[in-house]
Amino acid sequence: MERYDVIIIGAGPAGLSAALYSARSKLSTLYIEKLSTGGQAATTDEIENYPGFAHGISGPELTAQMEEQAKRFGAKKLLAEVKGIELSGADRIVKTTKGDFIAKVVIIASGAAPKLLGCPGELEFRARGVSYCATCDAAFYEGANVMVVGGGDSAVEEACYLTKFANKVTLVHRRDTLRATKVLQERAFANEKLEILWNTVVEEIIGTDVVEKVRLKNVVTAEVFEREIDGIFIYVGLKPNTEFVKGLVNMDEQGYIITDENMRTNIPGIYAAGDVRQKLLRQVVTAAADGAIAAYHAEKYIEECTG
Amino acid sequence: MAGNVIELNKDNFEEEVLKSELPVLVDFWGPRCVPCMGLMPVVEELAEIYAGKMKFTKLNTAENRRLAIQLKVMSLPTFQFYKNGELVDQLQGNFGREEIEEKIRAIIG
């Protein structure tokens, strides 16, 4: 079995930042990714609030740079899915689809994935008009009429992005105010192609081969109505990727890992960083900061253990 | 060495996919789809492993949008599997090498 000082699970901003700090501290470092580099940040078209890029930077570009930086200091990458972590004395055994790996410290930075809306038609029309990634799929909706569900930063940002392609974008939100930051809200209100339906929920996504319409309900008036659409993008929050450590580390009821301010979980030698962690602000900059803190304390932990 | 992955378009789709004697994997991708770019080396590797048992193809949806929509693919990444000219299975969204190989093995039997 291959041995490392630090194994990091996930190659989004938190994982890559942890890999950079860990490798730069001369710890042997492996980071494991299931899909592709960059996590959710890589599916964001334009990141305007990561300090140091005055005019914004695309998500894929930023995360590719992060990866190159971590690799430059010697971090190694493995493409595999992590199935679980086992404890054996001071060893932390990371079980993956490509075999087992031993580490002194594991940093969980597996992030979060989009939550499903949970209405009829959503799964049936997935990839046939239902999408969770505007950056991936916007080009299919050139000149089309699309709907975005949600009221947070992602929903509003992606709704604005989609107006570059679609003829009309309708944002559907179950409350009467948006949760998104002010600058995004102002941009949305000023966008002529963007309409907002307040106090409205999607009851059903309807179509034959592809999505054709949705049935909506106004939660205040109880009015039920239909709208014809070509596509629907769902941004109704996140679900942490923590199935593989269920029962091992402490989590809140939503599945987010509970840590202290040093990113320590309840298990010695296991840390968590980024969106996977219970916290208030989930951003690229806070993920990167978490990664740095986790790697720093991992180094201290290893020093103490090996004395 | 990278495996042989055939680039599809509206002119060769019928010949390469529907009339293929081997079962076919179609990788729908786009230049702005980061997960798709991550899957590309995986597909090339699998094309080598399963050479002679399955045909590996890819379709750039940015250049072949109409064809993709006609095939009812409107979200990336999507992989479709064809056998004897018919769509027999599909992968969509959050999938990796393991899921792809599972489908391939099931289809080539």
Side-chain angles (χ1 to χ4, degrees):
Chain A
M1 258 188 269
E2 278 178 55
R3 281 182 170 274
Y4 290 89
D5 291 325
V6 178
I7 291 180
I8 296 151
I9 302 168
L16 293 173
S17 161
L20 164 65
Y21 273 77
S22 168
R24 199 165 172 272
S25 298
K26 305 275 180 213
L27 298 171
S28 63
T29 304
L30 177 75
Y31 65 98
I32 304 174
E33 170 60 44
K34 175 184 159 189
L35 300 165
S36 53
T37 297
Q40 292 176 84
T43 65
T44 309
D45 182 55
E46 188 79 20
I47 295 173
E48 287 180 333
N49 52 7
Y50 192 78
F53 298 92
H55 303 286
I57 182 167
S58 83
E61 208 179 322
L62 177 63
T63 51
Q65 286 284 340
M66 287 179 175
E67 179 165 52
E68 199 184 321
Q69 200 175 358
K71 280 185 168 165
R72 185 157 79 87
F73 290 100
K76 275 207 226 160
K77 180 183 190 175
L78 173 73
L79 263 178
E81 185 176 348
V82 174
K83 294 293 186 189
I85 303 172
E86 279 175 13
L87 313 178
S88 168
D91 286 343
R92 303 286 168 262
I93 301 162
V94 180
K95 314 202 70 87
T96 84
T97 49
K98 291 204 179 144
D100 298 353
F101 297 83
I102 302 175
K104 292 172 184 160
V105 167
V106 176
I107 299 173
I108 302 167
S110 47
K115 235 188 220 167
L116 299 183
L117 192 55
C119 73
E122 180 179 22
L123 296 177
E124 191 186 342
F125 293 110
R126 188 169 185 160
R128 297 181 177 192
V130 176
S131 173
Y132 303 86
C133 177
T135 329
C136 301
D137 302 335
F140 287 112
Y141 298 95
E142 200 98 50
N145 178 5
V146 302
M147 189 164 272
V148 176
V149 188
D153 282 349
S154 298
V156 176
E157 206 165 353
E158 302 306 330
C160 289
Y161 173 70
L162 282 162
T163 61
K164 293 185 201 168
F165 299 83
N167 242 351
K168 190 185 169 194
V169 177
T170 309
L171 183 68
V172 173
H173 186 43
R174 62 192 159 127
R175 302 185 202 286
D176 61 0
T177 49
L178 297 173
R179 207 169 54 247
T181 50
K182 279 280 172 302
V183 56
L184 290 173
Q185 290 195 30
E186 280 166 14
R187 209 172 289 164
F189 296 150
N191 192 320
E192 285 177 0
K193 281 182 166 181
L194 190 76
E195 181 200 2
I196 304 179
L197 293 180
W198 302 104
N199 300 313
T200 304
V201 293
V202 177
E203 288 211 316
E204 189 180 357
I205 299 168
I206 304 159
T208 43
D209 277 347
V210 295
V211 171
E212 285 161 9
K213 59 186 179 180
V214 282
R215 199 176 68 240
L216 303 162
K217 184 183 180 182
N218 184 308
V219 291
V220 175
T221 64
E223 181 203 356
V224 174
F225 57 106
E226 287 184 351
R227 280 277 179 112
E228 286 189 4
I229 53 162
D230 301 303
I232 180 164
F233 289 78
I234 295 165
Y235 288 97
V236 290
L238 299 170
K239 186 180 169 294
N241 300 318
T242 50
E243 282 296 326
F244 66 100
V245 282
K246 216 155 236 171
L248 177 70
V249 298
N250 287 344
M251 299 173 191
D252 65 15
E253 59 286 356
Q254 290 179 71
Y256 288 104
I257 297 172
I258 298 166
T259 70
D260 66 10
E261 62 176 23
N262 297 333
M263 310 301 142
R264 276 192 297 230
T265 69
N266 57 309
I267 308 283
I270 300 184
Y271 296 72
D275 281 3
V276 78
R277 199 166 72 81
Q278 182 191 57
K279 60 176 182 174
L280 288 173
L281 184 62
R282 294 195 172 84
Q283 294 283 302
V284 179
V285 67
T286 61
D290 279 6
I293 295 166
Y296 173 81
H297 289 283
E299 188 188 357
K300 295 276 160 253
Y301 171 84
I302 291 170
E303 275 170 13
E304 279 164 25
C305 287
T306 52
Chain B
M1 204 187 79
N4 188 21
V5 182
I6 297 162
E7 192 85 53
L8 294 176
N9 55 53
K10 66 178 188 337
D11 300 321
N12 68 359
F13 185 82
E14 191 176 341
E15 191 63 38
E16 295 287 359
V17 179
L18 301 182
K19 290 186 177 166
S20 170
E21 288 191 1
L22 288 176
V24 188
L25 177 156
V26 185
D27 169 0
F28 292 81
W29 68 285
R32 299 188 71 88
C33 165
V34 176
C36 301
M37 304 314 266
L39 287 169
M40 220 162 259
V42 174
V43 171
E44 282 172 6
E45 212 184 309
L46 293 174
E48 215 161 284
I49 296 170
Y50 294 95
K53 292 183 181 139
M54 180 168 259
K55 188 193 276 189
F56 288 76
T57 66
K58 59 181 174 181
L59 184 90
N60 182 342
T61 58
E63 288 168 7
N64 300 282
R65 196 166 65 97
R66 271 162 203 266
L67 178 58
I69 294 174
Q70 207 183 308
L71 297 167
K72 302 189 187 70
V73 173
M74 298 169 82
S75 192
L76 303 178
T78 293
F79 283 15
Q80 286 187 339
F81 297 88
Y82 287 83
K83 200 172 182 177
N84 302 322
E86 282 190 27
L87 177 65
V88 289
D89 214 338
Q90 178 160 319
L91 282 168
Q92 213 288 310
N94 228 7
F95 61 89
R97 184 191 173 116
E98 208 181 336
E99 289 87 350
I100 303 168
E101 276 205 270
E102 209 172 278
K103 297 271 186 214
I104 293 174
R105 283 201 213 103
I107 287 165
I108 63 179

